[in-house]
Amino acid sequence: MNNYETVFILTPVLSDEQMKEAVAKFKKVLTDQGAEILNEEAWGLKKMAYAIEKKSTGFYCLIEFKAEPTVVKTLETSYRRDEKVIRFMTVKLDKYAAEYAEKRRKKYTKTEEA
């Protein structure tokens, strides 16, 4: 099992409910394939560096998970099939990046509790 981090941008014309449904759909794809979701962050509506499909903003979402390499291919196929996804990127985390992500998660949860 490898550690992965995926970031995807959803189209800004979605309502909050539709955005949450899309994120839940991708989480279900991961869990159905046997992946363990470690962290999920919704970064919200952000301005993009350049326009994509004539849109200058998008809903950014991050999911960290542990899975087998074949799961990533299935996840990215579901991204490509969903018209709500503008861009996506999945990265395999090495041991240093995994340690950093762990520290960032702990820091993030501490600030949420305060």
Side-chain angles (χ1 to χ4, degrees):
M1 298 264 276
N2 297 321
N3 286 344
Y4 293 96
E5 183 176 86
T6 185
V7 176
F8 54 96
I9 306 171
L10 298 170
T11 183
V13 297
L14 301 176
S15 68
D16 283 344
E17 185 177 312
Q18 290 172 320
M19 184 200 61
K20 289 176 184 174
E21 286 174 5
V23 172
K25 173 185 161 186
F26 297 125
K27 284 173 59 176
K28 185 175 180 339
V29 167
L30 288 170
T31 53
D32 288 349
Q33 296 292 318
E36 174 190 347
I37 295 177
L38 303 174
N39 187 28
E40 173 200 350
E41 295 176 19
W43 294 341
L45 189 66
K46 294 205 176 267
K47 184 166 174 44
M48 295 187 279
Y50 56 90
I52 302 171
E53 298 175 7
K54 297 183 182 177
K55 294 173 178 69
S56 60
T57 60
F59 288 107
Y60 282 68
C61 301
L62 170 122
I63 300 176
E64 291 177 44
F65 59 97
K66 277 188 176 182
E68 296 297 324
T70 56
V71 175
V72 174
K73 188 173 184 179
T74 306
L75 176 66
E76 290 187 348
T77 300
S78 65
Y79 284 152
R80 285 185 186 96
R81 288 182 178 163
D82 196 331
E83 61 192 25
K84 297 173 190 156
V85 178
I86 299 174
R87 285 283 192 275
F88 63 89
M89 183 167 67
T90 305
V91 179
K92 179 182 171 186
L93 302 177
D94 63 2
K95 66 180 182 177
Y96 303 109
E99 289 173 12
Y100 175 75
E102 182 81 25
K103 288 179 189 175
R104 192 172 56 87
R105 271 197 305 269
K106 288 179 182 175
K107 180 181 169 187
Y108 184 72
T109 55
K110 284 181 186 174
T111 57
E112 275 188 350
E113 292 171 1

